[in-house]
């Protein structure tokens, strides 16, 4: 788990009469999945938590395995040495990207989102062009992608490239849209595909990688609204436009001479930032999204998700009523 996941809410927040006493630094000793602001709140919440504690403990036991690098398609990392703190850091260092640009938040050495004010959309891959998708794909997709191997083949990337470590954000959106059967490929330049992205964390430091959606959905204007407590207050309501890919490290690569144009593939990607929780900021956002995703939900650890879930249920009920279902 990265340092971004340590800012948990008290699991008893909103469920007990007494307000929380400071931050939630006291974790459940059995599962470690939920945290509390005080012993008193932990004691009160136990009547609810005891029903799920064992299940959460089982899930938490797999966290170290799930968060390990490299992925199965990448090269095998050598043994650790005393200079690199853990396997993840060593993996990043093997590609010379440890604590660089978009990769800063991919290990425990990286910055916490709360301390970052500059959410740049111009950061670079810090890798050579053969390892990252810094330019337009060589050909359009003839069929939906079904695996990382297919994606790498389409983008002419070697299987040992660590690009997937960052690309899993936009590729997850692509996969969700495929599963939802939204016919984005039929949209024209005047249509907009709207996505509400709930609870962003470290991906706020990796916004340039979402440019890959331009290649995955050519000719479509995508509008992604990211809402969550980790959005810096100074960036609340900000609109960011992306029309080109993040650059590679090669000074001579054509990605550096590319002039962003609204006519390229007739594509555009708009990101909107909202600070707060979804059920409180929904009225400020563009209504009727095609897709709502929450990749970092952690429902058990964050009680404030409950009113958001209720809000989503009401939206779904209203939609069914409109459609006559």
């Amino acid at each position: 788990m990265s340092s971004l996941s340590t800012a948990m809410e008290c699991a008893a927040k909103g469920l007990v009469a007494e307000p929380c006493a400071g931050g939630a630094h006291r974790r459940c000793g059995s599962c470690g999945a939920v945290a509390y602001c005080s012993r008193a709140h932990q004691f009160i919440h136990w009547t609810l938590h005891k029903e799920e504690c064992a299940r959460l403990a089982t899930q938490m036991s797999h966290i170290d395995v799930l968060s390990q690098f490299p992925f199965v398609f990448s090269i095998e990392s050598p043994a650790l040495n005393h200079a690199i703190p853990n396997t993840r850091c060593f993996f990043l260092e093997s590609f010379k990207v440890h604590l660089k640009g978009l990769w800063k938040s991919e290990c425990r050495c990286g910055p916490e989102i709360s301390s970052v004010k500059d959410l740049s959309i111009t950061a670079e891959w810090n890798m050579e062009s053969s390892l990252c998708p810094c330019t337009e794909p060589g050909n359009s997709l003839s069929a939906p992608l079904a695996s990382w191997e297919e994606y790498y083949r389409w983008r002419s990337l070697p299987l040992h490239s660590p690009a997937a470590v960052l690309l899993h954000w936009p590729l997850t959106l692509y996969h969700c849209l495929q599963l939802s059967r939204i016919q984005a490929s039929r949209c024209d330049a005047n249509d907009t595909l709207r996505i509400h992205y709930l609870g962003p964390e470290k991906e706020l430091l990796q916004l340039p990688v979402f440019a890959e959606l331009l290649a995955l959905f050519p000719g479509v204007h995508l509008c992604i609204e990211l809402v969550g407590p980790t959005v810096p207050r100074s960036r609340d309501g900000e609109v960011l436009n992306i029309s080109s890919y993040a650059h590679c490290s090669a000074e001579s690569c054509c990605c550096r001479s590319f002039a962003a144009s609204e006519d390229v593939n007739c594509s555009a990607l708009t990101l909107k930032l909202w600070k707060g929780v979804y059920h409180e900021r929904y009225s400020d956002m563009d209504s009727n999204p095609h897709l709502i995703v929450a990749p970092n939900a952690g429902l058990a650890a964050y009680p404030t998700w409950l009113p958001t879930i209720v809000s989503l249920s009401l939206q779904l009920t209203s939609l069914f009523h409109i459609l006559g279902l």
Side-chain angles (χ1 to χ4, degrees):
M1 298 176 69
S2 71
S3 58
L4 298 174
S5 60
T6 59
M8 299 172 66
E9 295 178 344
C10 175
K13 182 178 181 179
L15 302 177
V16 296
E18 298 180 3
C20 290
H25 304 296
R26 181 186 183 87
R27 292 208 182 201
C28 172
S30 297
C31 69
V34 296
Y36 301 93
C37 65
S38 65
R39 181 186 294 272
H41 275 200
Q42 183 175 4
F43 179 79
I44 295 172
H45 189 252
W46 175 247
T47 56
L48 297 174
H49 180 59
K50 64 181 180 181
E51 300 295 331
E52 60 180 5
C53 187
R55 175 179 60 81
L56 293 175
T58 300
Q59 294 178 358
M60 292 291 285
S61 68
H62 299 299
I63 282 183
D64 289 339
V65 175
L66 294 173
S67 64
Q68 282 301 312
F69 292 161
F71 292 113
V72 294
F73 48 75
S74 60
I75 58 176
E76 183 178 355
S77 290
L80 293 176
N81 61 38
H82 67 281
I84 304 296
N86 56 52
T87 303
R88 176 173 295 206
C89 295
F90 194 95
F91 173 68
L92 297 173
E93 182 58 32
S94 68
F95 288 96
K96 307 302 181 184
V97 295
H98 186 234
L99 293 181
K100 291 184 179 180
L102 297 169
W103 305 90
K104 284 183 179 179
S105 58
E106 285 302 326
C107 64
R108 293 179 177 88
C109 303
E112 293 198 21
I113 192 67
S114 59
S115 67
V116 177
K117 302 299 182 183
D118 181 23
L119 306 183
S120 174
I121 60 172
T122 59
E124 300 182 3
W125 280 102
N126 294 101
M127 296 191 300
E128 59 184 80
S129 58
S130 63
L131 295 177
C132 59
C134 60
T135 59
E136 287 285 306
N139 56 282
S140 58
L141 287 172
S142 58
L145 297 169
S147 67
W148 277 109
E149 186 175 3
E150 287 186 12
Y151 169 79
Y152 268 53
R153 189 183 305 116
W154 173 58
R155 279 309 236 149
S156 300
L157 299 176
L159 287 179
H160 65 266
S161 168
V165 175
L166 303 182
L167 287 170
H168 77 277
W169 301 118
L171 267 292
T172 294
L173 291 181
Y174 171 82
H175 184 60
C176 289
L177 287 166
Q178 296 300 322
L179 291 177
S180 65
R181 301 181 184 277
I182 295 175
Q183 300 298 311
S185 60
R186 296 181 181 177
C187 297
D188 58 35
N190 295 319
D191 290 325
T192 298
L193 186 58
R194 302 187 183 279
I195 300 172
H196 285 182
Y197 196 106
L198 283 54
E201 293 181 354
K202 66 180 180 181
E203 58 263 53
L204 289 171
L205 299 172
Q206 302 165 340
L207 295 179
V209 300
F210 284 92
E212 188 61 12
L213 293 171
L214 299 176
L216 292 164
F217 297 106
V220 178
H221 178 206
L222 295 105
C223 179
I224 304 175
E225 301 195 56
L226 302 97
V227 54
T230 53
V231 173
R233 190 171 300 280
S234 61
R235 313 299 292 270
D236 183 33
E238 186 169 344
V239 177
L240 305 170
N241 293 304
I242 298 179
S243 57
S244 61
Y245 305 103
H247 294 165
C248 67
S249 60
E251 293 293 336
S252 60
C253 181
C254 62
C255 69
R256 294 184 175 276
S257 60
F258 173 78
S261 170
E262 295 181 358
D263 295 328
V264 175
N265 278 340
C266 298
S267 301
L269 174 61
T270 300
L271 305 176
K272 295 183 179 180
L273 306 176
W274 303 102
K275 182 173 181 59
V277 288
Y278 186 65
H279 60 275
E280 294 178 351
R281 298 307 306 266
Y282 174 72
S283 60
D284 299 321
M285 303 167 69
D286 291 329
S287 60
N288 300 322
H290 296 91
L291 179 70
I292 301 175
V293 296
N296 308 302
L299 299 180
Y302 300 93
T304 47
W305 276 108
L306 182 58
T308 288
I309 293 174
V310 173
S311 174
L312 291 172
S313 298
L314 292 175
Q315 291 178 46
L316 188 60
T317 300
S318 176
L319 176 61
F320 283 172
H321 178 72
I322 293 172
L323 296 176
L325 300 177

